[in-house]
């Protein structure tokens, strides 16, 4: 496995790989790799000849006061996981390699970045879109693999790739969950044992929405009210949003129709947790 820390190194490796006629799949991550990331590596392996994983905790997508400094960075362990899962190259640059000067050029995906997490993390999706554009330009992959876990990130990246004619395919992979339903996340390690026991209520609230929609409920307000009732079982949860929006545009709905995204964000202690499901009303 090639371990590159500079842009020149990873570019040279990809150039050589492509010259040999091999396709390249790309999995961008912030490290602290877990089974969710591994599922993306496996999807990339199934579709492409070679797989590149990037490990970069991107400072421009964190606001002041968020967890940029304390975000886990177990690099040796991450490299071992990549090696074990047959990754061909890892790109793990330093912040100064990615941002050698004050950054003046930003990618902003209007509207799609604004609702849901956009309201609570100003600038977050601008940072995500900008770093993904940089990484796509550096790696030059045929396809990039993202998790449905971060549904708004997926919507932002898909729209950006379409609007800017970026020459790669975006592949979305299902959310990997713990046996009790909690979406696997690098941030779950911040939870205390008691919070970890309480956290599966988040997925139960999403399941409640799916049950209601399947039973024919169409009123968004009634569905979100029931979800809030489920979440109320854990008083320590501080809800940021419980939303049902159009799955592609992320626009608000009053009645469920077509493919909808049921998305929630909350804080449990000092940990911010997000989760979502997509329900296709026409096929339920
Ligand atoms: P992160 O390291 O948190 O930036 O995540 C890197 C990629 O892994 C993103 O595309 C995430 O959506 C994806 N990912 C994170 N957690 C999961 C999960 N539980 N299931 C599937 N994909 C995930």
């Amino acid at each position: 496995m090639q371990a590159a820390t500079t842009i020149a190194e990873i570019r040279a490796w990809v150039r050589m790989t492509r010259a040999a006629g091999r396709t390249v799949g790309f999995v961008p991550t912030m490290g602290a790799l877990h089974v969710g990331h591994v599922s993306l590596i496996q999807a990339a392996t199934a579709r492409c000849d070679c797989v590149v994983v990037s490990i970069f905790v991107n400072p421009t997508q964190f606001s002041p006061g968020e967890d940029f400094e304390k975000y886990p960075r177990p690099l040796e362990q991450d490299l071992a996981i990549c090696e074990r899962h047959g990754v061909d190259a890892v790109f793990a640059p330093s912040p100064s390699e990615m941002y050698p000067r004050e950054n003046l050029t930003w990618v902003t995906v209007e509207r799609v970045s604004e609702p849901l997490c956009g309201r609570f993390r100003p600038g977050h999706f601008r940072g995500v879109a900008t770093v993904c554009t940089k990484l796509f330009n550096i790696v030059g992959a045929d396809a990039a693999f993202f998790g449905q876990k971060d549904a708004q990130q997926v919507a932002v990246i898909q729209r950006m790739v379409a609007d800017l004619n970026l020459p790669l395919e975006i592949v979305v992979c299902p959310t990997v969950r713990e046996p009790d339903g909690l979406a696997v996340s690098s941030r779950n390690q911040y939870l205390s044992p008691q919070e970890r026991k309480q956290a599966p209520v988040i997925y139960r609230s999403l399941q409640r929405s799916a049950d209601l929609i399947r039973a024919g409920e169409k009123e968004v307000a009634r569905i979100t009210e029931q979800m809030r009732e489920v979440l109320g079982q854990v008083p320590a949860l501080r809800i940021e949003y419980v939303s049902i929006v159009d799955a592609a545009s992320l626009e608000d709905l009053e009645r469920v129709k077509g493919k909808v995204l049921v998305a929630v964000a909350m804080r449990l202690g000092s940990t911010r947790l997000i989760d979502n499901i997509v329900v296709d009303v026409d096929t339920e």
Side-chain angles (χ1 to χ4, degrees):
M1 185 177 81
Q2 173 81 16
T5 55
T6 67
I7 294 167
E9 279 172 293
I10 193 67
R11 278 204 170 128
W13 185 90
V14 172
R15 203 179 304 123
M16 191 187 71
T17 303
R18 286 179 152 276
R22 309 180 79 193
T23 58
V24 177
F26 176 41
V27 180
T29 81
M30 298 204 300
L33 300 181
H34 51 60
V35 291
H37 299 114
V38 169
S39 76
L40 303 185
I41 292 170
Q42 287 166 340
T45 307
R47 286 176 76 126
C48 302
D49 299 326
C50 291
V51 177
V52 177
V53 171
S54 66
I55 298 175
F56 181 59
V57 185
N58 173 37
T60 66
Q61 70 188 68
F62 289 79
S63 301
E66 288 190 338
D67 56 346
F68 175 69
E69 275 84 20
K70 80 164 186 177
Y71 199 86
R73 291 167 171 83
L75 185 61
E76 287 309 309
Q77 203 177 302
D78 287 346
L79 292 173
I81 291 171
C82 288
E83 180 102 56
R84 195 157 67 240
H85 290 90
V87 169
D88 298 279
V90 171
F91 176 49
S94 65
S96 62
E97 180 71 8
M98 288 297 283
Y99 297 103
R101 63 193 85 78
E102 184 190 357
N103 203 62
L104 298 181
T105 308
W106 300 97
V107 181
T108 300
V109 181
E110 294 172 1
R111 294 223 297 273
V112 186
S113 298
E114 288 159 17
L116 309 176
C117 290
R119 290 213 315 276
F120 295 88
R121 302 188 72 187
H124 172 67
F125 291 111
R126 181 184 86 151
V128 168
T130 302
V131 81
C132 284
T133 304
K134 286 164 74 70
L135 288 168
F136 293 168
N137 284 334
I138 290 165
V139 175
D142 297 276
F145 296 76
F146 287 85
Q148 176 61 32
K149 156 91 185 356
D150 297 280
Q152 190 170 12
Q153 171 168 285
V154 163
V156 166
I157 298 298
Q158 282 175 325
R159 186 59 190 247
M160 174 184 89
V161 166
D163 284 352
L164 298 181
N165 307 94
L166 301 186
L168 82 170
E169 186 190 349
I170 301 300
V171 181
V172 184
C173 302
T175 301
V176 177
R177 300 181 178 283
E178 300 286 358
D180 59 13
L182 178 65
V184 177
S185 165
S186 308
R187 291 191 167 100
N188 291 351
Q189 58 188 274
Y190 301 153
L191 298 171
S192 71
Q194 197 206 1
E195 289 165 348
R196 174 63 191 82
K197 271 196 218 129
Q198 295 170 324
V201 75
I202 298 169
Y203 185 54
R204 290 204 298 277
S205 75
L206 294 171
Q207 285 176 308
R208 171 69 67 90
S209 73
D211 291 345
L212 289 165
I213 293 169
R214 272 187 213 113
E217 181 61 79
K218 298 263 187 266
E219 284 290 328
V220 163
R222 275 211 285 269
I223 302 168
T224 54
E225 190 185 299
Q226 295 255 335
M227 292 174 70
R228 284 175 181 272
E229 210 172 288
V230 175
L231 292 165
Q233 292 163 8
V234 176
L237 270 182
R238 281 171 297 137
I239 298 174
E240 283 189 353
Y241 63 80
V242 173
S243 294
I244 300 183
V245 296
D246 179 83
S249 70
L250 308 188
E251 272 160 8
D252 269 335
L253 296 169
E254 279 181 19
R255 291 174 66 77
V256 294
K257 186 167 141 280
K259 243 188 186 180
V260 300
L261 174 72
V262 186
V264 298
M266 50 209 73
R267 287 184 183 274
L268 190 47
S270 58
T271 309
R272 186 170 187 274
L273 298 170
I274 59 170
D275 201 352
N276 70 87
I277 56 170
V278 173
V279 185
D280 192 338
V281 179
D282 299 330
T283 60
E284 294 290 340

